[in-house]
Amino acid sequence: QVQLIQSGGGLVQAGGSLKLSCAASGTIYSINTMGWYRQAPGNQRELVARIITGGDTDYHDSVKGRFTISRDNAKNTVYLQMNSLKPEDTAVYYCNVDVRPRYYSSPRTYWGQGTQVTVSS
C-alpha cells in the first residue's frame, strides 16, 4: 500500500507565492512520473506540471515561468513552487505519482488527498 501526504496550500494574495509538497510512503520499489493536477469548481481536473525520474518536466501553458516542479528522490517527495499567483490559479491541487510497489509489479497511479489553493485579487 502507498500513501501520499500533501502539505502546503492556503490563501494568498495575487502576486504571492506558495509551495506544495507531496510525500509518498509505504511499499515502494521505484517511482517514475510525479505530478500535480488541479481542479477548480465546475472544471475538469487538469495537469499543472509533471516531472519524470530523469528530471524532465512538463508544464501547463498557463503556469510556465511561474511554477516550478521538483522532486527529491531520496525522500520520495515532489514539490510545486508557485510564484506570481493569479486568482485563476484558485483550485484544489492534487499530487499524482506513478509507483512500482515491487520490482515485479506494474506501475500504479496514486493520488494525494488534495489541498485548497485560493488566490485573492
Side-chain angles (χ1 to χ4, degrees):
Q1 189 72 339
V2 174
Q3 298 81 38
L4 300 183
I5 302 298
Q6 294 183 216
S7 61
L11 173 65
V12 66
Q13 289 187 332
S17 298
L18 287 173
K19 186 173 184 177
L20 306 181
S21 300
C22 173
S25 63
T27 304
I28 298 172
Y29 174 74
S30 66
I31 295 177
N32 188 10
T33 304
M34 308 181 84
W36 292 94
Y37 287 71
R38 67 186 180 188
Q39 186 167 19
N43 291 354
Q44 290 188 336
R45 192 172 296 189
E46 64 180 10
L47 174 67
V48 177
R50 60 188 172 193
I51 182 168
I52 65 173
T53 306
D56 286 348
T57 58
D58 186 26
Y59 293 93
H60 191 281
D61 284 346
S62 67
V63 308
K64 287 180 180 177
R66 300 188 298 121
F67 292 10
T68 302
I69 189 170
S70 61
R71 61 191 287 171
D72 184 333
N73 292 327
K75 296 181 178 179
N76 292 332
T77 300
V78 61
Y79 305 96
L80 185 68
Q81 177 66 47
M82 304 183 291
N83 298 329
S84 302
L85 282 160
K86 304 176 180 180
E88 51 263 43
D89 294 318
T90 296
V92 178
Y93 284 69
Y94 299 89
C95 63
N96 172 284
V97 178
D98 290 336
V99 176
R100 187 185 298 270
R102 294 180 172 82
Y103 72 93
Y104 52 80
S105 303
S106 298
R108 303 175 188 175
T109 298
Y110 294 87
W111 290 91
Q113 78 274 19
T115 186
Q116 178 69 45
V117 171
T118 303
V119 184
S120 63
S121 57

